[in-house]
Amino acid sequence: MSPQTAGVLQLLALIAALALVYRPLGDYMARVYSSQRHYAPERWIYKAVGADPDAGMRWPAYLRGVLAFSAVGVLFLYALQRLQGSLPGSLGFASIDPDQAFNTAASFVANTNWQSYAGEQAMGHVVQTGGLAVQNFVSAAVGMAVAVALVRGFARSRTGELGNFWADLVRGTVRILLPIAVLGALVLVACGAIQNFAGIHEVGQFMGGTQQWNGGAVASQEVIKELGTNGGGYFNANSAHPFENPSPFSNLFEIFLILVIPFALTRTFGKLVGSVKQGYAILATMAVIWLGFTALMMWTEFAGKGPAFEAAGGAMEGKETRFGIAGSAIFSVATTLTSTGAVNSFHSSYTGFGGGIQLLGMQLGEIAPGGVGSGLYGMLVMAIIAVFIAGLMVGRTPEYLGKKIGTREIKLAACYILVTPALVLCFTAAAMALPTPPHSMLNSGAHGFSEVLYAYTSGANNNGSAFAGLNADTQWYNTTIGLAMLLGRFLPMVFVLALAGSLAEQKPVPETAGTLRTDKPLYAGLLVGTIVVVTGLTYFPALALGPLAEGLAA
């Protein structure tokens, strides 16, 4: 069997698995977020934080809950790292430097998991498990809560209430993420991933000598980093490390974990707004982009010319032989089209066009299917832009799901799609213009520029993967990428929740013969075109200076 055929079979198996769980998981999440019942452990949590889970919140109150909870998370994780040297279970590691501690705290709270450190050489068990793993759960739950709040904005009318943030946060964690993570961790342990609290020990090497390794609760952290589209590895090699991702089966399972909730949330959306066809339209848009990017990535990585490429069967540099080109390409697209950031291969070693596909996947806004929660609300914002463009074409006031899209809604949607490109391009321009930051680049020319562009694209879009070849552990990059992550995560949430509040206050508009049918293939095609044109072309000049120039030169 050829590697290309094996890759297609892997992709078909992945699609079948996602299709199998799409409906039951989507329906279950809809029941979770519409339930009025509180379980006993949930009531204990509400009592501990002093929250009333039945109190309705308008968008400013909901936003205050998001920001307050996240701010406490940043402070707690920062303090935990700064005190690591005095904590038990630190494995002898020193406390983290202030700039790196800020960067890491911002990263994990923002659901980015960008790492400017080698995990097994810097973080002890307490920080890894009590700090980083906990944020993997709750940061994902925050994204899901904001998405559900926007969906309620479409579903409700004549009220500004979007639900209760604390109830949405706790339910997303306790009823959705935690049960799936427990089952997923058991699967990974069965595949060979480690799960222990062992200390540092020496192991022999094939060529002689020894090397130091430490254990850890790897399988449990691995499953939630993929399931919550977080990223970040327990080990520096991330999901290419055999302790995190031992086999081709575990590799495919981890890709499944990355994609399952973002895709299933479209079903949840359809159930909550009372039209599963609307969910299918969003699903079709996500699937078309994801499959198109996957096909392009596999083609460009298999089609390399030259003796080295032909001997290896394609661009094998930087890829694990146990995964091959296809398994690496599928993983790469999944992680950059979502806000995951986990990697099972060296992204900097991909072909020039392959690196461009990775960059563009993040620059589209990671909405195909995107991060847990963030992918859905990002796609719904683009859906609003699409109906606005359609309204301009026919001279009709745009409507979406029975809500008029007026000046206020369009301004909020426009702010949402502009804030991330502004962060990426401004920080990249500053890094290239100032005298010191370019010294961190290990490569010059187009590839060196791509390294810097990738770093800020990854940070501002809350992805977390790295192009490598860039020493980001400097005060400049730790600080600026940390700011990009926080602003790229929470500024869009401000606009999303304000948009949700505006929609929830409206009264429904009756459907007429002139209403644009947003549950049809024609609209899905318009939405794909809007995403590519409105967001993709924003970055085209920067891409032309980096990966496109490198690909054409090759």
Side-chain angles (χ1 to χ4, degrees):
M1 182 186 299
S2 69
Q4 292 88 337
T5 302
V8 172
L9 291 177
Q10 288 184 59
L11 187 59
L12 291 176
L14 177 62
I15 294 171
L18 291 169
L20 186 65
V21 302
Y22 172 76
R23 182 167 181 170
L25 180 57
D27 290 350
Y28 171 71
M29 290 191 291
R31 291 194 297 271
V32 166
Y33 286 113
S34 58
S35 172
Q36 300 300 314
R37 182 183 178 187
H38 306 299
Y39 296 147
E42 296 171 347
R43 290 195 295 270
W44 299 338
I45 297 173
Y46 300 140
K47 185 176 181 180
V49 299
D52 179 5
D54 296 314
M57 291 182 173
R58 299 176 69 85
W59 78 264
Y62 204 101
L63 176 62
R64 286 194 297 271
V66 170
L67 296 180
F69 178 76
S70 301
V72 170
V74 171
L75 294 174
F76 172 77
L77 192 51
Y78 177 84
L80 200 63
Q81 294 175 85
R82 295 290 293 135
L83 296 172
Q84 175 176 254
S86 304
L87 296 174
S90 64
L91 301 178
F93 296 139
S95 298
I96 308 301
D97 292 336
D99 57 311
Q100 191 173 76
F102 163 73
N103 181 277
T104 304
S107 173
F108 278 77
V109 172
N111 197 239
T112 309
N113 294 36
W114 169 273
Q115 293 173 291
S116 60
Y117 61 90
E120 72 271 33
Q121 300 173 13
M123 302 294 184
H125 293 322
V126 172
V127 175
Q128 288 274 22
T129 305
L132 306 185
V134 168
Q135 284 302 322
N136 281 346
F137 278 97
V138 296
S139 66
V142 167
M144 295 167 68
V146 173
V148 170
L150 178 58
V151 173
R152 292 191 186 116
F154 285 110
R156 296 179 177 182
S157 59
R158 299 185 178 91
T159 177
E161 293 186 356
L162 302 176
N164 185 281
F165 167 71
W166 303 105
D168 293 337
L169 172 70
V170 171
R171 288 178 179 179
T173 303
V174 173
R175 302 191 195 182
I176 299 173
L177 295 173
L178 191 58
I180 301 175
V182 170
L183 295 175
L186 293 175
V187 172
L188 288 181
V189 169
C191 290
I194 67 171
Q195 181 76 9
N196 57 55
F197 288 103
I200 297 176
H201 55 279
E202 291 191 351
V203 295
Q205 297 178 313
F206 288 114
M207 302 301 292
T210 60
Q211 185 176 2
Q212 287 190 335
W213 284 107
N214 56 279
V218 176
S220 57
Q221 185 151 322
E222 186 75 11
V223 70
I224 189 55
K225 90 174 189 184
E226 313 293 16
L227 181 66
T229 61
N230 296 282
Y234 203 101
F235 298 98
N236 192 39
N238 209 284
S239 294
H241 198 290
F243 287 175
E244 293 193 21
N245 192 3
S247 67
F249 176 80
S250 68
N251 186 64
L252 200 62
F253 179 65
E254 290 187 14
I255 300 171
F256 169 81
L257 290 174
I258 292 171
L259 299 173
V260 63
I261 290 181
F263 273 131
L265 275 173
T266 62
R267 173 79 181 187
T268 304
F269 160 69
K271 295 289 288 187
L272 292 178
V273 298
S275 173
V276 293
K277 289 184 178 180
Q278 296 290 346
Y280 287 141
I282 298 298
L283 172 66
T285 304
M286 291 177 171
V288 165
I289 297 174
W290 172 62
L291 287 171
F293 271 60
T294 302
L296 284 172
M297 180 65 83
M298 292 178 68
W299 169 79
T300 190
E301 295 304 296
F302 274 116
K305 301 298 182 182
F309 287 98
E310 292 171 4
M316 271 299 296
E317 179 186 343
K319 299 180 177 68
E320 288 292 319
T321 55
R322 68 183 186 277
F323 305 141
I325 292 174
S328 301
I330 297 171
F331 196 110
S332 171
V333 171
T335 196
T336 51
L337 273 176
T338 65
S339 63
T340 309
V343 295
N344 75 342
S345 54
F346 201 57
H347 283 193
S348 185
S349 292
Y350 277 62
T351 62
F353 289 132
I357 292 169
Q358 295 164 350
L359 269 167
L360 185 59
M362 293 184 288
Q363 291 166 349
L364 287 182
E366 297 173 326
I367 51 178
V372 169
S374 61
L376 178 61
Y377 64 66
M379 183 62 79
L380 292 178
V381 170
M382 292 308 304
I384 289 173
I385 298 293
V387 297
F388 175 71
I389 293 173
L392 292 178
M393 292 179 180
V394 299
R396 178 183 171 89
T397 301
E399 303 165 8
Y400 186 59
L401 300 179
K403 299 296 177 71
K404 285 188 176 182
I405 307 302
T407 303
R408 175 178 170 79
E409 290 75 24
I410 285 299
K411 286 180 178 179
L412 291 170
C415 289
Y416 176 92
I417 65 174
L418 289 173
V419 63
T420 305
L423 291 170
V424 172
L425 298 177
C426 289
F427 276 125
T428 300
M432 297 303 297
L434 295 175
T436 303
H439 294 319
S440 294
M441 296 161 45
L442 301 184
N443 297 280
S444 60
H447 194 80
F449 174 76
S450 295
E451 293 171 358
V452 178
L453 178 63
Y454 193 106
Y456 286 110
T457 299
S458 179
N461 285 280
N462 301 131
N463 183 272
S465 65
F467 213 38
L470 178 73
N471 175 24
D473 187 15
T474 66
Q475 287 190 351
W476 166 265
Y477 282 112
N478 277 331
T479 303
T480 56
I481 294 176
L483 291 173
M485 290 186 290
L486 290 175
L487 294 174
R489 174 70 165 178
F490 296 109
L491 275 181
M493 285 185 174
V494 173
F495 303 128
V496 167
L497 291 173
L499 176 62
S502 178
L503 294 169
E505 291 173 351
Q506 293 187 28
K507 61 181 180 180
V509 178
E511 187 175 311
T512 66
T515 301
L516 174 66
R517 295 295 301 273
T518 54
D519 57 355
K520 297 295 184 181
L522 178 63
Y523 175 73
L526 173 65
L527 183 52
V528 171
T530 300
I531 292 167
V532 173
V533 173
V534 174
T535 63
L537 292 183
T538 304
Y539 293 98
F540 185 79
L543 291 171
L545 293 173
L548 292 180
E550 183 182 357
L552 292 173

